[in-house]
Amino acid sequence: MVVNKKLAALYRERANATSYQHWRDVSLELDAHTGRDLWKIETSSDDYHHEVLSERLLTLRQWQQAKNHKLLIRALREGLHHDLGNMGNSRLYNQTHVGTKRLIEDYVAQVCDSLNYLCDATIEHLTNDEKLALFEDILRSFGQPALQLSGGATLGMFHIGVCKALDEEGLLPSVISGSSAGSLVASIIGTHTRDELQDFYDGDALYKHAWSWNKLSDGLRGKGFANQKQLETFIRQNIGEFSFEEAFKKTGRHINVSISPIGANQKSRLMNELTSPYLLVWSAVLASCAVPVLFPPVTLTSKSAEGQHRPYMPLERWVDGSMRSDMPRRRLMRLYNVNYFVASQVNPHIVPLLESERRRQEKGAIGSLPKRILKTQSRLLGMGALQVVHDKVSNEALRATLSHAYTMISQSYYGDATIAPRQYTLKHYRHMLQNPTKESIIWFRQQGERATWARIDQIRVQSRISRTLQECVARLLQRRAHNWHEAEVRAILTDREDYLAHHQPAQGKRA
């Protein structure tokens, strides 16, 4: 009875934690009281290939201790793969209150230690430029993480807490995509420095007047039931007048905004500094937030070399990005070599499914097999039926609606690590189409933070190698710049000495 009271007190304390460190300390205590910390120490598990990790760990440790640089480099080049031995399996991060197998953490730590050692060691057969090329090749092969933020109207304020929690732990990826409400949060992150973001996290800097409503007659005539000019003001006040290229130059973050076309002969687009560098970020966000019926489609706006605004693809109009591409995994993988996706999901039609998926994992794979088969078959049948009807009808509006429905069913709404509210209450739905207040921002932000804390260790383990590689490349680039500067100084001094040697009068010689 005393143990039960202790556990209940710890669960209450964890639920009310106000910082990640507090939350983690209580979680570690819970693991100790429940015996789950023993699971971390046990190497073996059916959920990953522990023999592979053990062998790679010992190999790296052996060659590093022997200072055998050639064999250490070979071991990293041939054996460094993301998700080696299935160590990213989500089940490995759901067995305890915090953390995972000690072997996985030790392996990742050894890889990072070996990378830092090679980066900073003097290696006779490698110049700094050759070492830089080596690390760039390894990083290109290994990949990097990305954060994806879903749509969900005002529920998207949850994303603010997700970004804050990741940012405070140094885990906020440089690649961030968003659709609808997620595109707004992604663009706020990508257009403001870290110091500027603190006021947004607190709700002080956020311009809060997003929603106002049109007359019923305007909505029935296709002008939208919500006021799009007010939404535009809200977006521009929070983002500014940056193009995607200008935003990247300011923050170094790759903002990606999903938008969907209304025409049948266009595909959904991912707007960023690579695909549309001169497009105004607020324009793409406005289109991504243009939920059909609520708002009319949007004509995009770009910025000329002189800073003038002009239409971008003026014959095309665009709507809500989550309709066709809520989580654009393939395009992010192709553009930015992404190997790991952190998804923050708040869509009201998806969150309840995530909760049922969580219960399924706790129940076990075999017990839920019939439901999984039924769910998969229903999805395939639905996609097939929509495709057949789409090909048979000729009405353009109906074809577009069927195309949107097909894409919503077929796309994936999950990530390798998925962060979402535990469940929605009536209070959540009441906020969905309301203007945010500072109180509601903090309420949603705290939910986002707490949901993220439960995934911090998983994200840290899975992204640590990528971040170490990026840091090594940055250090090597800095050394190259320093070497160039020293070479330039030496050249200037040499030229000066040569000049003086040829033009300075000899000592003691009279004019």
Side-chain angles (χ1 to χ4, degrees):
M1 184 63 70
V2 174
V3 174
N4 290 338
K5 286 184 178 181
K6 176 64 175 178
L7 288 176
L10 287 172
Y11 281 119
R12 285 195 301 272
E13 185 178 356
R14 191 173 80 143
N16 295 317
T18 56
S19 70
Y20 172 65
Q21 190 58 54
H22 182 199
W23 182 93
R24 193 175 194 278
D25 290 342
V26 177
S27 296
L28 288 171
E29 194 171 351
L30 277 168
D31 282 341
H33 275 279
T34 57
R36 297 188 187 186
D37 51 355
L38 298 176
W39 177 89
K40 301 176 190 178
I41 300 172
E42 293 175 357
T43 300
S44 63
S45 171
D46 293 336
D47 293 324
Y48 77 122
H49 200 331
H50 56 89
E51 293 93 344
V52 170
L53 292 185
S54 296
E55 187 272 333
R56 301 307 303 174
L57 170 62
L58 293 174
T59 298
L60 293 174
R61 188 174 290 166
Q62 175 186 355
W63 298 136
Q64 183 175 334
Q65 289 175 349
K67 296 185 179 181
N68 192 323
H69 299 143
K70 288 186 178 181
L71 289 181
L72 181 59
I73 290 171
R74 289 182 66 88
L76 287 169
R77 288 303 306 271
E78 70 180 4
L80 189 56
H81 303 285
H82 178 69
D83 201 16
L84 181 68
N86 200 29
M87 69 178 188
N89 186 347
S90 61
R91 288 184 58 83
L92 292 166
Y93 302 87
N94 293 331
Q95 302 299 317
T96 63
H97 295 92
V98 66
T100 186
K101 290 290 187 183
R102 189 70 51 81
L103 172 61
I104 294 175
E105 295 174 348
D106 289 345
Y107 166 75
V108 170
Q110 180 59 55
V111 169
C112 294
D113 189 51
S114 295
L115 290 171
N116 282 315
Y117 167 75
L118 287 175
C119 178
D120 299 330
T122 299
I123 302 177
E124 292 182 358
H125 66 279
L126 281 183
T127 65
N128 188 81
D129 284 351
E130 290 172 334
K131 193 184 289 188
L132 175 61
L134 169 68
F135 274 82
E136 287 178 334
D137 285 344
I138 296 175
L139 178 58
R140 189 178 301 111
S141 170
F142 191 81
Q144 64 175 321
L147 174 64
Q148 297 181 292
L149 308 177
S150 77
T154 307
L155 298 174
M157 290 187 295
F158 176 92
H159 298 319
I160 295 175
V162 174
C163 293
K164 180 176 183 289
L166 292 174
D167 197 8
E168 289 178 344
E169 293 301 311
L171 297 174
L172 186 61
S174 61
V175 179
I176 306 176
S177 76
S179 60
S180 195
S183 71
L184 174 69
V185 177
S187 297
I188 289 174
I189 298 296
T191 55
H192 293 85
T193 64
R194 193 174 186 191
D195 289 339
E196 292 171 339
L197 284 174
Q198 189 56 53
D199 287 337
F200 280 95
Y201 292 150
D202 294 338
D204 295 323
L206 189 72
Y207 180 78
K208 304 175 180 65
H209 192 26
W211 297 96
S212 65
W213 302 95
N214 292 330
K215 296 178 182 178
L216 180 62
S217 57
D218 290 335
L220 295 175
R221 287 201 303 268
K223 294 184 178 180
F225 289 97
N227 187 331
Q228 194 169 65
K229 291 300 295 182
Q230 182 58 55
L231 178 64
E232 179 182 326
T233 299
F234 169 77
I235 293 170
R236 295 175 76 167
Q237 288 287 333
N238 286 310
I239 293 174
E241 300 297 319
F242 296 96
S243 68
F244 278 96
E245 182 180 64
E246 291 168 339
F248 175 70
K249 287 179 178 178
K250 178 181 178 181
T251 67
R253 299 199 186 279
H254 306 277
I255 313 168
N256 293 264
V257 176
S258 295
I259 58 175
S260 302
I262 60 170
N265 296 320
Q266 281 281 4
K267 297 184 181 297
S268 59
R269 297 285 186 93
L270 192 63
M271 317 307 277
N272 52 50
E273 86 282 357
L274 298 176
T275 63
S276 49
Y278 315 122
L279 184 68
L280 287 162
V281 178
W282 68 257
S283 172
V285 175
L286 182 64
S288 193
C289 291
V291 180
V293 180
L294 281 177
F295 299 104
V298 172
T299 300
L300 298 173
T301 305
S302 67
K303 182 185 287 189
S304 68
E306 295 75 28
Q308 301 297 316
H309 293 188
R310 61 187 182 187
Y312 175 88
M313 298 183 67
L315 299 181
E316 296 290 343
R317 292 185 300 161
W318 307 84
V319 295
D320 183 4
S322 62
M323 297 293 291
R324 294 197 186 185
S325 192
D326 198 44
M327 299 284 180
R329 294 173 63 101
R330 290 184 180 178
R331 279 173 287 178
L332 289 173
M333 292 171 70
R334 184 176 69 249
L335 288 171
Y336 300 106
N337 193 30
V338 173
N339 63 9
Y340 185 76
F341 290 93
V342 180
S344 178
Q345 180 58 258
V346 297
N347 263 313
H349 61 290
I350 300 299
V351 169
L353 299 178
L354 291 175
E355 178 62 16
S356 64
E357 176 72 9
R358 183 189 64 80
R359 289 197 298 266
R360 179 192 68 76
Q361 288 188 357
E362 290 178 352
K363 182 178 179 181
I366 300 299
S368 62
L369 191 59
K371 285 186 178 180
R372 292 170 62 194
I373 294 173
L374 180 61
K375 179 181 175 181
T376 302
Q377 291 300 314
S378 299
R379 184 186 183 196
L380 291 174
L381 287 172
M383 290 166 59
L386 287 169
Q387 187 65 57
V388 169
V389 176
H390 175 273
D391 294 341
K392 295 294 182 182
V393 300
S394 57
N395 182 276
E396 188 69 24
L398 182 56
R399 284 172 63 88
T401 301
L402 291 170
S403 178
H404 284 316
Y406 177 89
T407 312
M408 289 180 70
I409 292 176
S410 62
Q411 66 176 298
S412 173
Y413 293 92
Y414 308 94
D416 298 295
T418 303
I419 303 167
R422 186 73 177 213
Q423 61 183 6
Y424 278 150
T425 63
L426 183 60
K427 185 177 180 180
H428 287 86
Y429 293 111
R430 283 204 306 265
H431 278 293
M432 189 170 175
L433 298 179
Q434 289 183 356
N435 286 313
T437 63
K438 181 169 182 177
E439 291 73 21
S440 65
I441 292 170
I442 293 174
W443 185 67
F444 275 105
R445 188 202 72 199
Q446 289 175 341
Q447 293 176 55
E449 286 182 278
R450 291 193 174 105
T452 307
W453 293 342
R455 292 281 172 243
I456 286 290
D457 274 49
Q458 178 182 359
I459 296 167
R460 193 193 308 279
V461 167
Q462 295 301 312
S463 62
R464 184 177 173 185
I465 295 175
S466 294
R467 301 184 78 84
T468 300
L469 284 166
Q470 290 170 339
E471 291 166 1
C472 288
V473 168
R475 292 207 300 275
L476 292 167
L477 285 170
Q478 188 175 21
R479 286 174 201 157
R480 183 171 70 175
H482 178 72
N483 292 340
W484 284 353
H485 176 68
E486 284 191 337
E488 288 175 353
V489 171
R490 284 195 299 270
I492 292 171
L493 291 175
T494 300
D495 290 344
R496 182 176 181 274
E497 290 173 358
D498 290 344
Y499 176 84
L500 292 174
H502 288 87
H503 295 85
Q504 187 174 6
Q507 291 292 330
K509 187 176 181 179
R510 294 185 179 181

